[in-house]
mmCIF file of all heavy atoms in Angstrom:
data_model
loop_
_atom_site.group_PDB
_atom_site.id
_atom_site.type_symbol
_atom_site.label_atom_id
_atom_site.label_comp_id
_atom_site.label_asym_id
_atom_site.label_seq_id
_atom_site.Cartn_x
_atom_site.Cartn_y
_atom_site.Cartn_z
ATOM 1 N N ARG G 43 -122.046 -8.879 -209.852
ATOM 2 C CA ARG G 43 -121.314 -7.634 -209.568
ATOM 3 C C ARG G 43 -119.807 -7.744 -209.780
ATOM 4 O O ARG G 43 -119.072 -6.820 -209.443
ATOM 5 C CB ARG G 43 -121.633 -7.104 -208.161
ATOM 6 C CG ARG G 43 -123.118 -6.821 -207.979
ATOM 7 C CD ARG G 43 -123.425 -6.065 -206.721
ATOM 8 N NE ARG G 43 -123.134 -4.642 -206.856
ATOM 9 C CZ ARG G 43 -123.439 -3.736 -205.935
ATOM 10 N NH1 ARG G 43 -124.055 -4.101 -204.829
ATOM 11 N NH2 ARG G 43 -123.117 -2.461 -206.111
ATOM 12 N N GLN G 44 -119.347 -8.866 -210.337
ATOM 13 C CA GLN G 44 -117.936 -8.979 -210.706
ATOM 14 C C GLN G 44 -117.692 -8.156 -211.971
ATOM 15 O O GLN G 44 -118.341 -8.369 -212.991
ATOM 16 C CB GLN G 44 -117.584 -10.448 -210.967
ATOM 17 C CG GLN G 44 -116.261 -10.662 -211.675
ATOM 18 C CD GLN G 44 -115.071 -10.531 -210.762
ATOM 19 O OE1 GLN G 44 -114.918 -11.291 -209.808
ATOM 20 N NE2 GLN G 44 -114.197 -9.570 -211.041
ATOM 21 N N MET G 45 -116.755 -7.238 -211.929
ATOM 22 C CA MET G 45 -116.402 -6.437 -213.092
ATOM 23 C C MET G 45 -115.515 -7.279 -214.004
ATOM 24 O O MET G 45 -114.466 -7.777 -213.592
ATOM 25 C CB MET G 45 -115.654 -5.173 -212.676
ATOM 26 C CG MET G 45 -116.512 -4.175 -211.920
ATOM 27 S SD MET G 45 -117.649 -3.298 -212.991
ATOM 28 C CE MET G 45 -116.525 -2.154 -213.804
ATOM 29 N N ILE G 46 -115.921 -7.403 -215.260
ATOM 30 C CA ILE G 46 -115.217 -8.256 -216.208
ATOM 31 C C ILE G 46 -114.790 -7.427 -217.409
ATOM 32 O O ILE G 46 -115.609 -6.705 -217.998
ATOM 33 C CB ILE G 46 -116.136 -9.405 -216.679
ATOM 34 C CG1 ILE G 46 -116.578 -10.257 -215.483
ATOM 35 C CG2 ILE G 46 -115.427 -10.287 -217.720
ATOM 36 C CD1 ILE G 46 -117.704 -11.207 -215.799
ATOM 37 N N LEU G 47 -113.529 -7.511 -217.757
ATOM 38 C CA LEU G 47 -113.030 -6.806 -218.934
ATOM 39 C C LEU G 47 -113.636 -7.422 -220.188
ATOM 40 O O LEU G 47 -113.571 -8.632 -220.391
ATOM 41 C CB LEU G 47 -111.509 -6.901 -219.001
ATOM 42 C CG LEU G 47 -110.848 -6.309 -220.247
ATOM 43 C CD1 LEU G 47 -111.021 -4.792 -220.276
ATOM 44 C CD2 LEU G 47 -109.379 -6.692 -220.309
ATOM 45 N N VAL G 48 -114.206 -6.571 -221.027
ATOM 46 C CA VAL G 48 -114.772 -7.039 -222.290
ATOM 47 C C VAL G 48 -113.787 -6.812 -223.421
ATOM 48 O O VAL G 48 -113.473 -7.714 -224.200
ATOM 49 C CB VAL G 48 -116.100 -6.318 -222.599
ATOM 50 C CG1 VAL G 48 -116.633 -6.732 -223.978
ATOM 51 C CG2 VAL G 48 -117.140 -6.612 -221.518
ATOM 52 N N ILE G 49 -113.278 -5.569 -223.504
ATOM 53 C CA ILE G 49 -112.427 -5.231 -224.628
ATOM 54 C C ILE G 49 -111.633 -3.977 -224.313
ATOM 55 O O ILE G 49 -112.072 -3.153 -223.488
ATOM 56 C CB ILE G 49 -113.286 -5.052 -225.908
ATOM 57 C CG1 ILE G 49 -112.455 -5.201 -227.184
ATOM 58 C CG2 ILE G 49 -114.055 -3.744 -225.882
ATOM 59 C CD1 ILE G 49 -113.306 -5.410 -228.419
ATOM 60 N N ARG G 50 -110.492 -3.842 -224.929
ATOM 61 C CA ARG G 50 -109.596 -2.704 -224.697
ATOM 62 C C ARG G 50 -109.126 -2.151 -226.030
ATOM 63 O O ARG G 50 -108.898 -2.892 -226.973
ATOM 64 C CB ARG G 50 -108.390 -3.172 -223.889
ATOM 65 C CG ARG G 50 -107.427 -2.091 -223.503
ATOM 66 C CD ARG G 50 -106.212 -2.661 -222.829
ATOM 67 N NE ARG G 50 -105.319 -3.294 -223.804
ATOM 68 C CZ ARG G 50 -104.024 -3.450 -223.624
ATOM 69 N NH1 ARG G 50 -103.490 -3.047 -222.511
ATOM 70 N NH2 ARG G 50 -103.285 -4.031 -224.535
ATOM 71 N N GLN G 51 -108.979 -0.821 -226.077
ATOM 72 C CA GLN G 51 -108.516 -0.162 -227.298
ATOM 73 C C GLN G 51 -107.411 0.825 -226.947
ATOM 74 O O GLN G 51 -107.612 1.679 -226.080
ATOM 75 C CB GLN G 51 -109.677 0.603 -227.963
ATOM 76 C CG GLN G 51 -109.294 1.443 -229.166
ATOM 77 C CD GLN G 51 -109.100 0.617 -230.432
ATOM 78 O OE1 GLN G 51 -109.905 -0.253 -230.746
ATOM 79 N NE2 GLN G 51 -108.046 0.918 -231.166
ATOM 80 N N GLU G 52 -106.287 0.700 -227.601
ATOM 81 C CA GLU G 52 -105.227 1.681 -227.432
ATOM 82 C C GLU G 52 -105.495 2.847 -228.380
ATOM 83 O O GLU G 52 -105.769 2.627 -229.561
ATOM 84 C CB GLU G 52 -103.849 1.074 -227.745
ATOM 85 C CG GLU G 52 -103.424 -0.006 -226.773
ATOM 86 C CD GLU G 52 -103.813 -1.407 -227.198
ATOM 87 O OE1 GLU G 52 -104.811 -1.559 -227.929
ATOM 88 O OE2 GLU G 52 -103.125 -2.356 -226.796
ATOM 89 N N ALA G 53 -105.388 4.064 -227.884
ATOM 90 C CA ALA G 53 -105.749 5.227 -228.699
ATOM 91 C C ALA G 53 -104.842 5.405 -229.909
ATOM 92 O O ALA G 53 -105.258 5.957 -230.927
ATOM 93 C CB ALA G 53 -105.736 6.489 -227.849
ATOM 94 N N TYR G 54 -103.613 4.922 -229.806
ATOM 95 C CA TYR G 54 -102.677 5.115 -230.909
ATOM 96 C C TYR G 54 -102.924 4.139 -232.050
ATOM 97 O O TYR G 54 -102.352 4.281 -233.130
ATOM 98 C CB TYR G 54 -101.240 4.993 -230.416
ATOM 99 C CG TYR G 54 -100.850 3.645 -229.875
ATOM 100 C CD1 TYR G 54 -100.415 2.625 -230.721
ATOM 101 C CD2 TYR G 54 -100.915 3.382 -228.521
ATOM 102 C CE1 TYR G 54 -100.048 1.388 -230.229
ATOM 103 C CE2 TYR G 54 -100.559 2.138 -228.011
ATOM 104 C CZ TYR G 54 -100.127 1.142 -228.863
ATOM 105 O OH TYR G 54 -99.769 -0.079 -228.374
ATOM 106 N N LYS G 55 -103.761 3.148 -231.809
ATOM 107 C CA LYS G 55 -104.061 2.161 -232.838
ATOM 108 C C LYS G 55 -105.303 2.582 -233.620
ATOM 109 O O LYS G 55 -106.339 2.871 -233.036
ATOM 110 C CB LYS G 55 -104.289 0.782 -232.232
ATOM 111 C CG LYS G 55 -103.027 0.118 -231.710
ATOM 112 C CD LYS G 55 -103.315 -1.309 -231.279
ATOM 113 C CE LYS G 55 -102.040 -2.011 -230.819
ATOM 114 N NZ LYS G 55 -102.297 -3.415 -230.385
ATOM 115 N N GLN G 56 -105.182 2.596 -234.926
ATOM 116 C CA GLN G 56 -106.322 2.949 -235.758
ATOM 117 C C GLN G 56 -107.285 1.780 -235.920
ATOM 118 O O GLN G 56 -108.482 1.965 -236.094
ATOM 119 C CB GLN G 56 -105.847 3.435 -237.128
ATOM 120 C CG GLN G 56 -105.122 4.775 -237.071
ATOM 121 C CD GLN G 56 -104.800 5.293 -238.465
ATOM 122 O OE1 GLN G 56 -104.739 4.531 -239.416
ATOM 123 N NE2 GLN G 56 -104.594 6.597 -238.569
ATOM 124 N N GLN G 57 -106.740 0.571 -235.854
ATOM 125 C CA GLN G 57 -107.574 -0.609 -236.056
ATOM 126 C C GLN G 57 -108.475 -0.822 -234.858
ATOM 127 O O GLN G 57 -108.029 -0.769 -233.706
ATOM 128 C CB GLN G 57 -106.704 -1.837 -236.279
ATOM 129 C CG GLN G 57 -107.473 -3.088 -236.639
ATOM 130 C CD GLN G 57 -106.559 -4.232 -237.026
ATOM 131 O OE1 GLN G 57 -105.351 -4.134 -236.894
ATOM 132 N NE2 GLN G 57 -107.142 -5.311 -237.510
#
Side-chain angles (χ1 to χ4, degrees):
Chain G
R43 301 191 78 173
Q44 166 78 62
M45 292 285 285
I46 300 167
L47 175 67
V48 176
I49 201 164
R50 184 185 75 155
Q51 174 78 45
E52 294 92 333
Y54 64 85
K55 288 187 177 180
Q56 292 186 338
Q57 186 173 8

